[in-house]
Amino acid sequence: MDNPSPRPAPSAAPDRARNPWWDNARFVSAALIVVLHSIGSIMSRYDALNAFHIATWAFRVPVFVVLAGVFSSGGPLGPRELRTLLRSIALPALLFSLLFSLEMYALDHPFTLHVAQLPWTLWFLMSLFCWRLLLPLVVQLRHPLLVTTVVALAIGYVDEFGLMFSASRTLVYLPLFYFGWRLGQGMLREWFESRWSLPVAVAGVLAAVAGGWLWGREVRGQWLSMRHAYTADTSLGLGLEGAWLIRLLVLAAATGLTLCLLRLMPKRRLPLISALGAGGFTIYLLHPLVILPVRERGLIERADTPLEVAALMAGGVLLAAVLASPWVRRLVRPLTRPPVDRLFAPVPSPSAPHLTGPKQALGKEVRVTPV
């Protein structure tokens, strides 16, 4: 197998030496997210759609979080890195939040400007911004994965951590983000290279499918949403004091299934899919703006036969492919990477004194790929 667990080149240009393995996984994950959002309003009608939702949950947002960690830097954040975070994550989040508000207003809803609580999928950008600020601190810990996992489990007992500023999801998914960064550093190379891991990965995916089909209706939405504090759930006999066990199992399952998906993902360049994977971030940003008016006008609700539902899901994959196409990415680049360089003061050259100390030099610029 070729290059099973590469380390992202820190100083590489965004489109140079792309690894098709990550791009393949990125497009599959993004396409699954679009398909789920395409059928979300009719999912309760069909057991098969609900089973699909549960079976593929770990292959959507958790995989996206892990892949975001793969392409992040654990080094100190200098002026260039901070500016890139603002330009590629924070400002697009605010721009698309405004577009969402304008679109809702055009669909006869009251105009609401979302800043602290970003709408629909944009919570991910706010969390991504925080994860990249936190990662240089997290990697300094003696046991980063243990500490972040304990925080993720404990935060469910704090009511103040919820939707505002995506606080709950940021801390709950932080272990997965750090785990992704470790994968990008070459961790678990044996898993991705060994022959014995292939049947294990197949068994893991089949177990997810079986679990979604057999117990999909028993899985509570709040177990997977990671948005709110714990609530007592007497159905499992755990109560509020044992709610952290459910979250631990969910995070462990997400980690294991992410490894299974990555192990099964082809590492060679695939026609079309590898090229579209480079547009995963654009898919994530744009697809709600396309699906929202279709859903609000009741067009999705009209799908009431298996053939129409299958066509709707296929349409979600096609939408993901179109949004990831190079010409769409070029068209929306002013929104996904706003040209705001004039807002910033000139960056000192590496040989110039650092702004925070007379003897410190700027660190080497690292590659920052949004997702």
Side-chain angles (χ1 to χ4, degrees):
M1 297 181 184
D2 53 326
N3 199 15
S5 187
R7 302 187 182 190
S11 58
D15 295 325
R16 187 184 306 167
R18 297 196 65 94
N19 190 303
W21 182 27
W22 303 122
D23 283 337
N24 295 338
R26 189 166 10 212
F27 179 74
V28 169
S29 177
L32 286 173
I33 290 172
V34 177
V35 170
L36 188 277
H37 288 157
S38 299
I39 62 173
S41 58
I42 62 172
M43 194 167 55
S44 59
R45 297 184 198 166
Y46 305 95
D47 289 338
L49 293 185
N50 186 72
F52 171 80
H53 163 55
I54 300 302
T56 63
W57 171 78
F59 305 139
R60 300 194 308 267
V61 172
V63 169
F64 229 57
V65 173
V66 169
L67 291 175
V70 166
F71 289 98
S72 295
S73 170
L77 295 175
R80 295 180 186 273
E81 292 77 33
L82 291 172
R83 294 172 191 216
T84 304
L85 290 180
L86 287 173
R87 183 172 57 249
S88 62
I89 299 177
L91 292 179
L94 296 177
L95 284 174
F96 277 87
S97 178
L98 176 60
L99 290 176
F100 180 91
S101 298
L102 292 173
E103 187 170 66
M104 289 294 289
Y105 181 73
L107 294 170
D108 302 324
H109 291 271
F111 181 82
T112 304
L113 188 61
H114 304 274
V115 177
Q117 186 176 323
L118 298 184
W120 210 348
T121 62
L122 293 178
W123 68 265
F124 185 87
L125 274 74
M126 185 170 286
S127 291
L128 180 60
F129 184 79
C130 296
W131 290 328
R132 287 193 163 155
L133 291 177
L134 289 171
L135 185 59
L137 172 62
V138 170
V139 299
Q140 300 300 319
L141 300 174
R142 179 168 294 183
H143 302 290
L145 193 57
L146 175 62
V147 172
T148 55
T149 301
V150 169
V151 171
L153 301 179
I155 209 66
Y157 292 103
V158 183
D159 292 333
E160 287 81 2
F161 284 83
L163 293 174
M164 197 66 67
F165 294 107
S166 191
S168 178
R169 281 164 161 164
T170 297
L171 294 177
V172 173
Y173 281 120
L174 184 58
L176 288 182
F177 184 78
Y178 170 76
F179 180 72
W181 178 78
R182 289 296 308 274
L183 289 182
Q185 301 301 304
M187 187 181 71
L188 296 182
R189 183 179 296 271
E190 182 181 357
W191 165 263
F192 297 114
E193 292 179 341
S194 301
R195 292 186 176 181
W196 62 264
S197 61
L198 185 60
V200 175
V202 173
V205 173
L206 293 178
V209 174
W213 183 256
L214 295 174
W215 301 293
R217 292 293 183 183
E218 282 69 42
V219 176
R220 304 289 186 269
Q222 61 266 29
W223 295 353
L224 307 181
S225 67
M226 312 297 185
R227 294 182 296 180
H228 303 290
Y230 298 139
T231 56
D233 189 346
T234 58
S235 62
L236 297 179
L238 293 175
L240 188 61
E241 65 277 4
W244 66 272
L245 286 171
I246 297 175
R247 178 166 290 179
L248 178 61
L249 290 175
V250 169
L251 289 176
T255 303
L257 290 174
T258 295
L259 288 175
C260 291
L261 178 68
L262 293 177
R263 178 62 182 87
L264 297 176
M265 193 62 54
K267 298 174 178 63
R268 66 184 183 278
R269 186 170 183 82
L270 299 177
L272 191 62
I273 291 178
S274 299
L276 295 177
F281 187 59
T282 307
I283 296 174
Y284 199 90
L285 284 174
L286 290 181
H287 82 271
L289 298 178
V290 179
I291 294 175
L292 181 63
V294 178
R295 188 187 69 179
E296 290 294 309
R297 296 307 184 192
L299 299 179
I300 293 178
E301 294 288 337
R302 297 179 184 178
D304 57 3
T305 67
L307 183 60
E308 290 174 343
V309 172
L312 188 62
M313 298 176 72
V317 177
L318 180 61
L319 175 61
V322 171
L323 296 180
S325 61
W327 53 88
V328 172
R329 298 206 307 266
R330 286 194 296 267
L331 181 65
V332 301
R333 188 174 178 82
L335 296 176
T336 58
R337 290 183 67 86
V340 292
D341 291 338
R342 292 189 177 184
L343 293 178
F344 303 122
V347 178
S349 63
S351 60
H354 195 282
L355 296 176
T356 59
K359 295 184 178 180
Q360 297 177 347
L362 283 173
K364 182 172 60 176
E365 181 180 3
V366 300
R367 171 186 177 187
V368 178
T369 304
V371 179

